[in-house]
Amino acid sequence: LPVLEQVMRMMNLVAQEKGVEMTYDAAEGCTVLAAKDEIHQVIYNLVDNAVKYSAAGGAVQVSLRWRSEQVVLEVADNGAGIPEEDLPRIFQRFYRVDKARSRAAGGTGLGLSIVQDTMEKRGGTVEAANRPGGGAVFTVRWPYAKEGERL
Ligand code: ATP
Ligand code: MG
């Protein structure tokens, strides 16, 4: 099973429990040079955040595409988004926007730093932004590798 599908199946249970709707749209042939575990960790951390920082009734949309020589994964939610002043810092180890609320939500604040380390190691990038209509969107870009592992 492709990694994205594995993560979506697993996270669907958590999302349903929370009343968050998850949809995904994946193009064929999105392969990259990375271990399956690394790909899993990247997708899992982003989808976990999207669900975790969404409220009941929220929607998480994941898309996987390729453009020229890049494989592009987007994870978008319509939660509270990320304050502009925190955007440059959320990839730092242990950095969390709302200390109290984050503690209640569980976790350590390491997820995004792991995503960034892995992407750097594999020659890719990860970026965070706020959506015009509210919510956050994370974009991951990997170099396309014909004989690589399937996302
Ligand atoms: P862990 O991933 O270790 O369980 P965490 O989710 O708090 O803990 P990160 O994944 O590194 O840690 O995220 C860092 C911080 O960035 C979060 O605490 C949260 O404040 C913010 N953040 C990340 N993703 C989102 C999102 N989709 N919407 C709003 N805020 C987010
Ligand atoms: Mg996280």
Side-chain angles (χ1 to χ4, degrees):
L1 211 61
V3 180
L4 176 58
E5 212 172 309
Q6 268 178 22
V7 174
M8 293 309 277
R9 283 187 187 196
M10 178 174 69
M11 287 306 299
N12 230 332
L13 301 171
V14 182
Q16 264 175 24
E17 191 72 22
K18 251 195 104 159
V20 172
E21 185 196 25
M22 284 212 308
T23 53
Y24 77 106
D25 181 8
E28 292 293 317
C30 292
T31 47
V32 301
L33 280 187
K36 208 166 180 166
D37 284 356
E38 293 174 316
I39 299 170
H40 189 279
Q41 211 154 30
V42 167
I43 301 176
Y44 171 79
N45 276 307
L46 296 179
V47 175
D48 175 61
N49 282 346
V51 171
K52 188 158 71 174
Y53 301 110
S54 286
V60 171
Q61 288 168 297
V62 179
S63 83
L64 179 62
R65 299 253 164 278
W66 53 269
R67 285 180 213 141
S68 52
E69 291 300 296
Q70 281 190 330
V71 168
V72 183
L73 175 80
E74 262 185 19
V75 180
D77 63 64
N78 59 2
I82 300 159
E84 290 296 324
E85 66 269 24
D86 292 301
L87 273 177
R89 287 183 285 184
I90 54 171
F91 293 98
Q92 293 170 12
R93 279 186 185 82
F94 304 115
Y95 191 82
R96 314 181 87 174
V97 173
D98 181 337
K99 279 51 179 176
R101 196 190 53 178
S102 298
R103 241 193 324 276
T108 57
L110 280 174
L112 288 178
S113 69
I114 293 168
V115 170
Q116 194 173 48
D117 287 352
T118 301
M119 292 312 296
E120 261 172 35
K121 198 165 123 192
R122 295 301 173 193
T125 59
V126 55
E127 280 168 28
N130 286 305
R131 303 172 73 193
V137 55
F138 285 79
T139 307
V140 165
R141 295 185 172 86
W142 314 67
Y144 169 73
K146 196 172 193 294
E147 309 297 333
E149 188 74 56
R150 187 173 164 195
L151 253 71

